[in-house]
Coordinates of all heavy atoms in Angstrom, one line a residue:
M1 N 99.3 82.7 103.0 CA 100.3 82.5 104.0 C 99.8 81.3 104.9 O 98.7 81.4 105.5 CB 100.5 83.8 104.8 CG 101.7 83.8 105.8 SD 103.3 84.1 105.1 CE 103.1 85.6 104.3
A2 N 100.7 80.3 105.1 CA 100.3 79.2 106.0 C 100.1 79.7 107.4 O 100.8 80.6 107.9 CB 101.4 78.1 105.9
L3 N 99.3 79.0 108.1 CA 99.0 79.4 109.5 C 99.4 78.2 110.4 O 99.4 77.1 110.0 CB 97.5 79.6 109.7 CG 96.8 80.6 108.9 CD1 95.3 80.7 109.2 CD2 97.4 82.0 109.0
Y4 N 99.8 78.6 111.7 CA 100.0 77.6 112.7 C 99.7 78.2 114.0 O 99.7 79.4 114.1 CB 101.4 77.0 112.6 CG 102.5 78.0 113.0 CD1 103.0 78.1 114.3 CD2 103.1 78.8 112.0 CE1 104.0 79.0 114.6 CE2 104.1 79.6 112.3 CZ 104.5 79.8 113.6 OH 105.5 80.6 114.0
K5 N 99.5 77.4 115.0 CA 99.3 77.9 116.4 C 100.4 77.6 117.3 O 100.9 78.4 118.0 CB 98.0 77.4 116.9 CG 97.6 78.0 118.3 CD 96.2 77.6 118.7 CE 95.8 78.3 120.0 NZ 94.4 78.0 120.4
H6 N 100.8 76.3 117.3 CA 101.7 75.9 118.4 C 103.1 75.8 117.8 O 103.6 74.8 117.3 CB 101.3 74.6 119.0 CG 99.9 74.6 119.6 ND1 99.7 75.4 120.7 CD2 98.7 74.2 119.2 CE1 98.4 75.3 121.0 NE2 97.8 74.6 120.1
G7 N 103.8 76.9 117.8 CA 105.2 77.0 117.1 C 106.2 76.1 117.7 O 107.2 75.8 117.1
N8 N 106.0 75.6 119.0 CA 106.9 74.7 119.6 C 106.9 73.4 118.9 O 107.8 72.5 119.2 CB 106.7 74.6 121.1 CG 105.2 74.2 121.4 OD1 104.3 74.6 120.7 ND2 105.1 73.3 122.4
N9 N 105.9 73.1 118.0 CA 105.9 71.9 117.3 C 106.5 72.0 115.9 O 106.5 71.0 115.1 CB 104.5 71.4 117.2 CG 103.9 70.9 118.5 OD1 104.6 70.4 119.3 ND2 102.6 71.1 118.7
L10 N 107.1 73.1 115.6 CA 107.8 73.4 114.3 C 109.2 73.7 114.6 O 109.5 74.4 115.6 CB 107.1 74.5 113.5 CG 105.6 74.2 113.1 CD1 105.0 75.5 112.5 CD2 105.6 73.1 112.1
T11 N 110.1 73.3 113.7 CA 111.5 73.6 113.8 C 112.0 74.3 112.5 O 111.7 73.7 111.4 CB 112.3 72.3 114.0 OG1 111.8 71.7 115.2 CG2 113.8 72.7 114.2
Q12 N 112.6 75.4 112.6 CA 113.2 76.0 111.4 C 114.3 75.2 110.8 O 115.1 74.7 111.6 CB 113.6 77.5 111.6 CG 114.0 78.2 110.3 CD 114.1 79.7 110.5 OE1 114.5 80.1 111.6 NE2 113.9 80.4 109.4
S13 N 114.4 75.1 109.5 CA 115.5 74.3 108.9 C 116.1 75.2 107.8 O 115.5 76.0 107.2 CB 114.8 73.1 108.2 OG 115.8 72.5 107.3
Q14 N 117.4 75.0 107.6 CA 118.2 75.6 106.5 C 118.4 74.7 105.3 O 119.2 74.9 104.5 CB 119.5 76.2 107.0 CG 119.4 77.2 108.1 CD 118.6 78.4 107.7 OE1 118.6 78.9 106.6 NE2 117.7 78.9 108.6
D15 N 117.7 73.6 105.3 CA 117.9 72.6 104.3 C 117.6 73.1 102.9 O 116.7 73.9 102.7 CB 117.0 71.4 104.5 CG 117.4 70.1 103.7 OD1 117.4 70.2 102.5 OD2 117.8 69.1 104.4
A16 N 118.5 72.8 101.9 CA 118.3 73.3 100.5 C 117.1 72.8 99.9 O 116.6 73.4 98.9 CB 119.5 72.9 99.7
A17 N 116.4 71.8 100.4 CA 115.2 71.3 99.8 C 114.1 72.4 99.9 O 113.2 72.4 99.0 CB 114.7 70.1 100.6
F18 N 114.2 73.4 100.8 CA 113.3 74.5 100.9 C 113.5 75.6 99.8 O 112.7 76.5 99.7 CB 113.2 75.0 102.3 CG 112.7 74.1 103.3 CD1 113.5 73.3 104.1 CD2 111.3 74.0 103.5 CE1 113.1 72.4 105.0 CE2 110.8 73.1 104.4 CZ 111.7 72.3 105.2
D19 N 114.7 75.6 99.2 CA 115.1 76.6 98.2 C 114.7 76.1 96.8 O 114.5 77.0 95.9 CB 116.6 76.9 98.3 CG 117.0 77.4 99.6 OD1 116.3 78.1 100.2 OD2 118.1 76.9 100.1
A20 N 114.6 74.8 96.6 CA 114.3 74.3 95.2 C 112.9 74.7 94.8 O 112.0 74.7 95.7 CB 114.6 72.8 95.2
T21 N 112.7 74.9 93.5 CA 111.4 75.1 93.0 C 111.1 74.0 92.0 O 112.0 73.4 91.4 CB 111.2 76.5 92.3 OG1 112.1 76.6 91.3 CG2 111.3 77.6 93.3
H22 N 109.8 73.6 91.9 CA 109.4 72.5 91.0 C 108.3 72.9 90.1 O 107.4 73.6 90.5 CB 108.9 71.3 92.0 CG 109.9 71.0 93.1 ND1 111.1 70.3 92.9 CD2 110.0 71.5 94.3 CE1 111.8 70.2 94.0 NE2 111.1 71.0 94.9
S23 N 108.4 72.4 88.9 CA 107.5 72.8 87.8 C 106.1 72.2 88.1 O 106.0 71.1 88.7 CB 107.9 72.2 86.5 OG 109.2 72.8 86.1
P24 N 105.0 72.9 87.7 CA 103.7 72.4 87.8 C 103.6 71.0 87.1 O 104.2 70.9 86.1 CB 102.8 73.4 87.2 CG 103.6 74.7 87.2 CD 105.0 74.2 87.1
G25 N 102.8 70.1 87.6 CA 102.6 68.9 87.0 C 103.6 67.8 87.1 O 103.5 66.8 86.5
V26 N 104.6 68.1 87.9 CA 105.7 67.0 88.1 C 105.4 66.4 89.5 O 104.7 66.9 90.3 CB 107.1 67.6 88.1 CG1 107.4 68.3 86.7 CG2 107.4 68.5 89.2
A27 N 106.1 65.3 89.8 CA 105.9 64.6 91.1 C 106.6 65.4 92.2 O 107.7 65.9 92.0 CB 106.5 63.2 91.0
A28 N 105.9 65.6 93.3 CA 106.5 66.3 94.4 C 107.6 65.4 95.0 O 107.4 64.2 95.3 CB 105.4 66.5 95.5
P29 N 108.8 66.0 95.1 CA 109.9 65.1 95.6 C 109.8 64.8 97.1 O 110.4 63.8 97.5 CB 111.1 66.0 95.4 CG 110.6 67.4 95.3 CD 109.2 67.3 94.8
Y30 N 109.0 65.6 97.8 CA 108.8 65.3 99.3 C 107.4 65.5 99.6 O 106.7 66.3 98.9 CB 109.7 66.3 100.1 CG 111.1 66.4 99.8 CD1 111.6 67.5 99.0 CD2 112.0 65.4 100.2 CE1 112.9 67.6 98.7 CE2 113.3 65.5 99.8 CZ 113.8 66.6 99.1 OH 115.1 66.7 98.7
P31 N 106.9 64.8 100.6 CA 105.5 65.2 101.1 C 105.6 66.5 101.8 O 106.7 67.0 102.1 CB 105.2 64.0 102.1 CG 106.6 63.7 102.6 CD 107.5 63.8 101.4
G32 N 104.5 67.2 101.9 CA 104.4 68.4 102.6 C 103.5 69.4 102.1 O 102.6 69.2 101.3
I33 N 103.7 70.7 102.6 CA 102.9 71.8 102.1 C 103.8 72.6 101.1 O 105.0 72.9 101.5 CB 102.5 72.7 103.3 CG1 101.6 71.9 104.2 CG2 101.8 74.0 102.7 CD1 101.2 72.6 105.4
Y34 N 103.3 72.9 99.9 CA 104.0 73.6 98.9 C 103.3 74.9 98.7 O 102.1 75.0 98.8 CB 104.1 72.8 97.6 CG 105.1 71.6 97.7 CD1 104.8 70.5 98.3 CD2 106.3 71.7 97.0 CE1 105.6 69.4 98.4 CE2 107.2 70.7 97.1 CZ 106.9 69.5 97.7 OH 107.8 68.5 97.8
R35 N 104.1 75.9 98.2 CA 103.5 77.3 97.9 C 103.9 77.6 96.5 O 105.0 77.4 96.1 CB 104.1 78.3 98.9 CG 103.7 79.7 98.7 CD 104.3 80.6 99.8 NE 103.8 82.0 99.6 CZ 104.2 82.8 98.7 NH1 105.2 82.5 97.9 NH2 103.7 84.0 98.7
C36 N 102.9 78.2 95.8 CA 103.2 78.6 94.4 C 104.0 79.9 94.5 O 103.5 80.9 95.2 CB 101.9 78.8 93.6 SG 102.1 79.5 92.0
T37 N 105.1 80.0 93.7 CA 105.9 81.2 93.8 C 105.3 82.3 93.1 O 105.7 83.5 93.3 CB 107.3 80.9 93.2 OG1 107.1 80.5 91.8 CG2 108.0 79.8 93.9
N38 N 104.3 82.1 92.3 CA 103.6 83.2 91.6 C 102.4 83.8 92.3 O 102.3 84.9 92.6 CB 103.2 82.8 90.2 CG 102.6 83.9 89.3 OD1 101.5 84.3 89.7 ND2 103.3 84.3 88.3
C39 N 101.5 82.9 92.6 CA 100.2 83.3 93.2 C 100.1 83.2 94.7 O 99.2 83.7 95.4 CB 99.0 82.6 92.5 SG 98.8 80.9 93.0
G40 N 101.0 82.4 95.3 CA 101.0 82.2 96.8 C 100.0 81.2 97.2 O 99.9 80.9 98.4
D41 N 99.4 80.5 96.3 CA 98.5 79.4 96.7 C 99.3 78.3 97.4 O 100.5 78.1 97.1 CB 97.9 78.8 95.4 CG 96.7 77.9 95.6 OD1 96.1 77.9 96.7 OD2 96.4 77.1 94.7
E42 N 98.7 77.6 98.3 CA 99.4 76.6 99.1 C 98.6 75.3 99.0 O 97.3 75.3 99.1 CB 99.5 77.0 100.6 CG 100.4 78.2 100.7 CD 100.2 78.9 102.1 OE1 99.3 78.6 102.8 OE2 101.1 79.8 102.3
I43 N 99.3 74.2 98.9 CA 98.7 72.9 98.8 C 99.4 71.9 99.7 O 100.6 72.1 100.0 CB 98.6 72.4 97.4 CG1 100.0 72.3 96.8 CG2 97.7 73.2 96.5 CD1 100.5 71.0 96.4
A44 N 98.7 70.9 100.2 CA 99.4 69.8 100.9 C 99.4 68.6 100.0 O 98.4 68.3 99.3 CB 98.6 69.5 102.2
I45 N 100.5 67.8 99.9 CA 100.6 66.7 99.0 C 101.4 65.6 99.5 O 102.4 65.9 100.3 CB 101.1 67.3 97.6 CG1 101.0 66.3 96.5 CG2 102.6 67.7 97.8 CD1 101.2 66.9 95.1
A46 N 101.1 64.4 99.2 CA 101.9 63.3 99.5 C 103.1 63.2 98.6 O 103.1 63.6 97.4 CB 101.1 62.0 99.4
G47 N 104.3 62.7 99.1 CA 105.4 62.6 98.3 C 105.2 61.7 97.1 O 104.5 60.7 97.2
G48 N 105.6 62.1 95.9 CA 105.4 61.3 94.7 C 104.1 61.6 93.9 O 104.0 61.3 92.8
H49 N 103.2 62.3 94.6 CA 102.0 62.7 93.9 C 102.3 63.9 93.0 O 103.2 64.7 93.3 CB 100.9 63.0 94.9 CG 100.3 61.8 95.6 ND1 99.0 61.7 96.0 CD2 100.8 60.6 95.8 CE1 98.8 60.5 96.5 NE2 99.9 59.8 96.4
T50 N 101.4 64.1 92.1 CA 101.6 65.2 91.0 C 101.2 66.6 91.6 O 100.1 66.8 92.0 CB 100.8 64.8 89.8 OG1 101.2 63.5 89.3 CG2 101.1 65.8 88.7
L51 N 102.2 67.5 91.5 CA 101.9 68.9 91.9 C 100.9 69.5 90.9 O 100.9 69.1 89.7 CB 103.2 69.7 91.8 CG 104.2 69.3 92.9 CD1 105.6 69.9 92.6 CD2 103.8 69.9 94.3
P52 N 100.0 70.4 91.4 CA 98.9 70.9 90.5 C 99.5 71.6 89.3 O 100.6 72.1 89.3 CB 98.3 72.0 91.4 CG 98.5 71.4 92.8 CD 99.9 70.8 92.8
P53 N 98.7 71.6 88.2 CA 99.2 72.2 86.9 C 99.3 73.7 87.0 O 98.8 74.3 87.9 CB 98.1 71.7 85.9 CG 96.8 71.6 86.8 CD 97.3 71.1 88.1
Q54 N 99.8 74.2 85.9 CA 100.0 75.7 85.8 C 98.7 76.5 85.9 O 98.8 77.6 86.3 CB 100.7 75.9 84.4 CG 101.1 77.3 84.1 CD 102.1 77.3 83.0 OE1 103.0 76.4 82.9 NE2 102.1 78.3 82.1
N55 N 97.6 75.9 85.5 CA 96.3 76.6 85.5 C 95.6 76.4 86.8 O 94.4 76.5 86.8 CB 95.5 76.2 84.3 CG 95.1 74.7 84.3 OD1 95.5 74.0 85.2 ND2 94.3 74.3 83.4
H56 N 96.3 76.1 87.9 CA 95.5 75.9 89.2 C 94.9 77.2 89.7 O 93.9 77.2 90.5 CB 96.4 75.3 90.3 CG 97.6 76.2 90.6 ND1 98.8 76.1 90.1 CD2 97.7 77.2 91.5 CE1 99.6 77.0 90.6 NE2 99.0 77.7 91.5
K57 N 95.4 78.3 89.2 CA 94.8 79.7 89.5 C 95.1 80.6 88.4 O 95.9 80.3 87.5 CB 95.4 80.2 90.8 CG 95.0 79.6 92.1 CD 93.8 80.2 92.7 CE 93.6 79.8 94.1 NZ 92.8 78.6 94.4
Q58 N 94.5 81.8 88.4 CA 94.9 82.8 87.5 C 96.3 83.4 87.9 O 96.5 83.6 89.1 CB 93.9 84.0 87.5 CG 92.6 83.7 86.8 CD 92.8 83.9 85.3 OE1 93.3 83.0 84.6 NE2 92.3 85.0 84.8
H59 N 97.2 83.6 87.0 CA 98.5 84.1 87.4 C 98.9 85.4 86.7 O 98.5 85.6 85.6 CB 99.6 83.0 87.0 CG 99.5 81.8 87.9 ND1 98.9 80.7 87.5 CD2 100.0 81.6 89.2 CE1 98.9 79.8 88.5 NE2 99.6 80.3 89.5
D60 N 99.6 86.2 87.5 CA 100.1 87.5 86.9 C 101.5 87.3 86.3 O 102.4 86.9 87.1 CB 100.1 88.5 88.1 CG 100.6 89.9 87.7 OD1 101.1 90.0 86.5 OD2 100.5 90.8 88.5
P61 N 101.6 87.4 85.0 CA 102.9 87.2 84.4 C 104.0 88.1 85.0 O 105.2 87.8 84.9 CB 102.7 87.5 82.9 CG 101.3 88.1 82.8 CD 100.6 87.9 84.1
N62 N 103.6 89.2 85.6 CA 104.6 90.1 86.2 C 105.2 89.6 87.5 O 106.1 90.1 88.1 CB 104.0 91.5 86.4 CG 103.6 92.1 85.1 OD1 104.3 92.0 84.1 ND2 102.5 92.7 85.1
K63 N 104.6 88.5 88.0 CA 105.0 88.0 89.4 C 106.0 86.8 89.2 O 106.2 86.0 90.2 CB 103.8 87.6 90.2 CG 103.1 88.8 90.7 CD 102.0 88.4 91.7 CE 101.3 89.7 92.2 NZ 100.1 89.4 93.0
G64 N 106.6 86.6 88.1 CA 107.6 85.5 87.9 C 107.0 84.2 87.5 O 105.8 84.1 87.3
K65 N 107.9 83.2 87.5 CA 107.5 81.9 87.0 C 106.5 81.2 88.0 O 106.5 81.5 89.2 CB 108.7 81.0 86.7 CG 109.4 80.5 87.9 CD 110.5 79.5 87.5 CE 111.1 78.8 88.7 NZ 112.1 77.8 88.2
I66 N 105.7 80.3 87.4 CA 104.8 79.5 88.2 C 105.6 78.2 88.6 O 105.9 77.4 87.8 CB 103.6 79.1 87.3 CG1 102.9 80.4 86.9 CG2 102.6 78.2 88.1 CD1 101.9 80.2 85.8
A67 N 105.8 78.1 89.9 CA 106.6 76.9 90.4 C 106.1 76.7 91.8 O 105.6 77.5 92.5 CB 108.1 77.2 90.3
W68 N 106.3 75.4 92.2 CA 106.0 75.0 93.6 C 107.3 75.0 94.4 O 108.3 74.4 94.0 CB 105.3 73.7 93.6 CG 103.9 73.8 93.0 CD1 103.6 73.3 91.7 CD2 102.7 74.3 93.5 NE1 102.3 73.6 91.4 CE2 101.7 74.2 92.5 CE3 102.4 74.9 94.7 CZ2 100.4 74.6 92.8 CZ3 101.1 75.3 94.9 CH2 100.2 75.2 94.0
Q69 N 107.2 75.5 95.7 CA 108.3 75.5 96.6 C 107.9 74.9 97.9 O 106.8 75.3 98.4 CB 108.8 77.0 96.8 CG 110.1 77.1 97.6 CD 110.6 78.5 97.6 OE1 109.9 79.5 97.2 NE2 111.9 78.7 98.0
L70 N 108.7 74.0 98.4 CA 108.4 73.4 99.7 C 108.3 74.4 100.8 O 109.2 75.2 101.0 CB 109.4 72.3 100.0 CG 109.2 71.4 101.3 CD1 107.9 70.6 101.1 CD2 110.4 70.5 101.5
L71 N 107.2 74.4 101.6 CA 107.0 75.3 102.7 C 107.1 74.6 104.0 O 107.8 75.2 105.0 CB 105.6 76.0 102.5 CG 105.2 77.0 103.5 CD1 106.1 78.2 103.4 CD2 103.8 77.4 103.3
V72 N 106.5 73.5 104.2 CA 106.6 72.7 105.4 C 106.8 71.2 105.1 O 106.1 70.7 104.2 CB 105.3 72.9 106.2 CG1 105.3 72.0 107.5 CG2 105.0 74.3 106.6
Y73 N 107.8 70.6 105.8 CA 108.1 69.2 105.5 C 107.7 68.4 106.8 O 108.2 68.8 107.9 CB 109.6 69.1 105.2 CG 110.0 67.6 105.1 CD1 109.7 66.9 104.0 CD2 110.7 67.0 106.1 CE1 110.1 65.6 103.9 CE2 111.1 65.7 106.1 CZ 110.8 65.0 104.9 OH 111.2 63.7 104.8
P74 N 106.9 67.4 106.7 CA 106.5 66.6 107.9 C 107.6 65.6 108.2 O 108.1 64.9 107.3 CB 105.2 65.9 107.4 CG 105.4 65.8 106.0 CD 106.2 66.9 105.5
V75 N 108.0 65.6 109.4 CA 109.0 64.6 109.8 C 108.3 63.4 110.5 O 107.7 63.5 111.5 CB 110.0 65.3 110.8 CG1 111.0 64.3 111.3 CG2 110.7 66.5 110.2
Q76 N 108.4 62.3 109.8 CA 107.8 61.1 110.3 C 108.7 60.3 111.2 O 109.9 60.3 111.0 CB 107.4 60.1 109.1 CG 106.2 60.6 108.3 CD 105.8 59.5 107.4 OE1 106.5 59.2 106.4 NE2 104.6 59.0 107.6
Q77 N 108.1 59.8 112.3 CA 108.9 59.0 113.2 C 109.2 57.7 112.7 O 108.4 57.1 112.0 CB 108.2 58.9 114.6 CG 108.1 60.3 115.2 CD 107.4 60.2 116.6 OE1 107.0 59.2 117.0 NE2 107.4 61.3 117.3
K78 N 110.4 57.1 113.0 CA 110.8 55.8 112.5 C 110.1 54.7 113.2 O 109.8 54.8 114.4 CB 112.3 55.7 112.5 CG 113.0 56.8 111.8 CD 113.9 56.3 110.7 CE 114.4 57.2 109.7 NZ 114.6 58.5 109.8
Ligands
ZN101 ZN1 99.9 79.7 91.4

């Protein structure tokens, strides 16, 4: 579970980008922190970089598919 201290620096979003899941080993569509839907592992990645492969951790087949889901998206100032 990701941690933070100063919640006033985070804003909750209903954007559909947070609902999409992405296969291991594909390019991350957005920069940010992603969470594995099977094991709960979390990673930070730059946009376009390759998401970790399926074997990044041991997985329980009973916990569903191995996929990455966007958890936190950094908003860059223009
Ligand atoms: Zn995992």
Side-chain angles (χ1 to χ4, degrees):
M1 188 83 55
L3 305 177
Y4 67 91
K5 184 169 184 179
H6 302 290
N8 55 320
N9 290 326
L10 295 172
T11 302
Q12 188 169 27
S13 168
Q14 299 302 324
D15 197 295
F18 292 95
D19 300 321
T21 57
H22 309 280
S23 298
V26 305
Y30 308 102
I33 298 173
Y34 286 76
R35 180 178 184 278
C36 176
T37 58
N38 182 293
C39 71
D41 193 19
E42 295 163 348
I43 56 115
I45 192 166
H49 285 208
T50 304
L51 291 164
Q54 186 161 322
N55 63 357
H56 62 267
K57 288 274 196 269
Q58 285 278 80
H59 289 98
D60 180 348
N62 297 319
K63 289 187 176 174
K65 72 174 188 174
I66 300 164
W68 294 103
Q69 185 172 16
L70 184 63
L71 182 64
V72 177
Y73 175 77
V75 178
Q76 286 191 292
Q77 295 184 351
K78 303 233 167 25

